[in-house]
């Protein structure tokens, strides 16, 4: 099983430019095996307790409430009242896009605070903060993939620790920010966002980015099973690859495996068809979900890439957004992301469609419950984190 990091048991000094981040809570002494073992045992016990609590909460929910829990919705704007009203439907998460980001950090904190309608179970609040090409937040001047792929791995650690702190300070709990795709083709859609040009270098930097972010936010690996071998822009089509599973294991899989071993909380499935494994996009493929769980040992939350992208592909097989969501859940995804083409009613329609699918038998109640438990467990874990992180512009790097 992947190793999980204990948030309150890490001392991290991350240097990127003039920014350092350090925990204000007590942390274990580096190099103490006894303390490390105790912290790991405590983390495991805590995880078990959160899982039990999540299962109890989900069991008390109606099917409609469980369905809402596995949807991550989106509307534009920064009006706190409108955002609070939207989230009152009980959605499990919200993704911030450019139109949700005000100029100041204080104003952004007001936005994220408005998204929480139940303090005992805050939603997952996510953002795409890769840095560089894909950057939503103001103030992220830290090195990004465009240059990190050519710099020492320690630079990736520093940049993503600072980036993770920036994200967390705004009240955001999930960063869809670690691109685990790999390609050496400078003409590729994903080249500028990838952290490495070969599987080994990408794996090292993906692991570093994951380890650096997890003390601050729930980090996410994307776009499984790998955009590098599937040319094309998945915002406009469904890229495909004829790569064999054997070749995938020795190439594209390596950065994802490294990130999973480093403790990534979420794994984002891309709308990518590796036809030697399954003709369907990975996001809708039971085979790829099984590979992620059984081969790579991922036990966290599997989130789809934006389901609106399937509609944008123009393929009539994916013209029904609710059917796509139900198919992704049935395949093994836990959290459905809806952005492109969505309006204030999209997430609600997805919720209703999932509930109807359970009622009709098209989606098993057990699969929905499993997905909801994973999402609620992560929500509880993030809300229970007690370590307080602060920026210390004058601190020195750790030796």
């Amino acid at each position: 099983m992947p190793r999980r990091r204990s948030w309150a048991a890490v001392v991290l000094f991350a240097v990127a430019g003039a920014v350092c981040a350090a925990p204000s809570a007590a942390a274990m002494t580096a190099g103490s095996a006894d303390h490390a073992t105790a912290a790991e045992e405590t983390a495991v016990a805590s995880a078990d307790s959160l899982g039990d609590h999540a299962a109890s909460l989900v069991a008390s929910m109606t099917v409609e409430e469980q369905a809402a829990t596995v949807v991550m919705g989106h509307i534009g704007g920064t009006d706190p009242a409108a955002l609070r009203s939207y989230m009152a439907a009980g959605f499990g998460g919200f993704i911030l896009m450019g139109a949700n980001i005000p100029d100041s950090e204080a104003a952004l904190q007001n936005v994220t605070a408005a998204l929480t309608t139940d303090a005992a179970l805050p939603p997952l609040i996510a953002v795409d903060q890769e840095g560089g090409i894909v950057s939503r937040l103001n103030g992220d001047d830290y090195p990004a993939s465009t240059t990190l792929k050519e710099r020492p791995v320690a630079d990736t650690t520093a940049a993503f620790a600072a980036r993770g702190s920036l994200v967390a300070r705004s009240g955001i709990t999930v960063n869809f920010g670690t691109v685990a795709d790999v390609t050496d083709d400078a003409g590729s859609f994903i080249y500028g966002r990838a952290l490495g040009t070969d599987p080994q270098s990408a794996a090292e930097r993906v692991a570093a980015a994951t380890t650096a972010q997890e003390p601050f936010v729930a980090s996410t690996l994307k776009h499984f099973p790998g955009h590098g071998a599937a040319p094309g822009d998945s915002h406009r089509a469904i890229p495909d690859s004829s790569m064999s599973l054997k070749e995938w294991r020795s190439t594209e899989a390596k950065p994802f495996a490294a990130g999973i071993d480093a403790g990534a909380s979420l794994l984002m499935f891309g709308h990518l068809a590796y036809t030697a494994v399954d003709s369907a996009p990975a996001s809708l493929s039971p085979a790829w979900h099984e590979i992620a769980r059984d081969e790579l040992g991922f036990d966290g939350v599997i989130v789809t890439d934006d389901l609106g992208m399937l509609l944008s592909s123009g393929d009539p097989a994916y013209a029904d957004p609710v059917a796509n969501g139900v198919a992704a859940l049935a395949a093994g995804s836990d959290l459905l992301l809806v952005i492109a083409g969505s309006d204030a009613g999209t997430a609600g329609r997805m919720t209703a469609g999932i509930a109807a699918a359970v009622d009709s038998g098209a989606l098993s109640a057990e699969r929905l419950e499993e997905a909801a438990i994973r999402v609620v467990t992560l929500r509880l874990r993030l809300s229970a984190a007690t370590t307080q992180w602060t920026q210390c512009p004058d601190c020195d790097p750790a030796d």
Side-chain angles (χ1 to χ4, degrees):
M1 301 295 285
R3 175 174 55 85
R4 296 292 176 225
R5 295 170 59 81
S6 173
W7 285 25
V10 181
V11 174
L12 178 62
F13 292 89
V15 182
V19 178
C20 307
S24 60
M28 76 175 184
T29 302
S32 171
D34 289 342
H35 288 180
T37 300
E40 289 170 2
E41 290 175 351
T42 299
V44 169
S46 176
D48 290 343
S49 177
L50 287 176
D52 291 343
H53 187 194
S56 177
L57 289 175
V58 170
S60 70
M61 294 178 180
T62 65
V63 171
E64 289 76 12
E65 288 169 336
Q66 291 178 2
T69 292
V70 301
V71 175
M72 176 171 276
H74 169 75
I75 56 171
T78 59
D79 177 51
L83 294 170
R84 180 172 291 275
S85 176
Y86 177 78
M87 292 302 288
F91 303 129
F94 185 95
I95 182 167
L96 298 163
M97 301 297 287
N100 302 119
I101 310 297
D103 291 337
S104 74
E105 187 173 278
L108 179 54
Q109 290 168 349
N110 290 335
V111 167
T112 56
L115 293 168
T116 298
T117 59
D118 179 1
L121 186 62
L124 301 175
I125 302 175
V127 70
D128 287 308
Q129 191 62 30
E130 301 171 16
I133 294 172
V134 177
S135 190
R136 311 286 187 217
L137 303 185
N138 301 312
D140 187 345
D141 299 321
Y142 314 119
S145 53
T146 48
T147 59
L148 289 173
K149 59 169 57 78
E150 300 168 352
R151 295 167 62 166
V153 175
D155 288 3
T156 297
T157 297
F160 275 89
R163 185 163 290 125
S165 178
L166 175 70
V167 170
R169 290 205 319 272
S170 299
I172 300 168
T173 53
V174 174
N175 189 18
F176 295 149
T178 309
V179 175
D181 308 306
V182 55
T183 182
D184 61 359
D185 179 6
S188 168
F189 157 75
I190 207 68
Y191 178 83
R193 297 165 59 192
L195 285 167
T197 56
D198 63 85
Q200 184 59 35
S201 68
E204 291 171 354
R205 286 161 181 78
V206 166
T210 300
T211 300
Q213 287 179 91
E214 279 290 327
F216 303 95
V217 294
S219 69
T220 307
L221 308 172
K222 61 185 186 183
H223 310 80
F224 188 83
H227 220 309
D233 184 347
S234 56
H235 293 86
R236 300 179 177 86
I238 300 174
D240 64 84
S241 172
S242 60
M243 177 180 284
S244 70
L245 184 57
K246 180 179 180 180
E247 184 179 358
W248 174 83
R249 287 175 177 135
S250 63
T251 55
E252 309 297 305
K254 286 189 173 182
F256 289 100
I260 289 170
D261 288 345
S265 296
L266 298 98
L267 178 62
M268 179 179 283
F269 268 49
H271 306 307
L272 314 167
Y274 278 65
T275 55
V277 176
D278 194 331
S279 60
S283 53
L284 310 182
S285 167
W288 278 112
H289 285 79
E290 182 177 339
I291 289 167
R293 296 291 189 199
D294 296 345
E295 285 200 28
L296 300 189
F298 182 68
D299 61 1
V301 170
I302 290 179
V303 58
T304 67
D305 204 346
D306 174 19
L307 289 170
M309 293 161 60
L310 285 172
L311 304 183
S312 301
S313 73
D315 189 326
Y318 308 115
D320 183 344
V322 173
N324 295 336
V326 170
L329 272 175
S333 286
D334 304 309
L335 186 61
L336 308 179
L337 180 61
V338 290
I339 310 172
S342 66
D343 56 33
T346 299
R349 291 190 291 272
M350 183 69 73
T351 296
I354 294 166
V358 172
D359 290 343
S360 70
L363 176 68
S364 75
E366 293 77 15
R367 173 78 272 273
L368 174 58
E369 184 175 0
E370 177 187 48
I373 289 172
R374 284 205 184 97
V375 172
V376 171
T377 298
L378 180 58
R379 292 168 67 182
L380 289 172
R381 193 197 93 193
L382 294 172
S383 67
T386 56
T387 303
Q388 300 298 313
W389 298 89
T390 58
Q391 290 287 305
C392 49
D394 298 323
C395 65
D396 295 323
D399 292 331

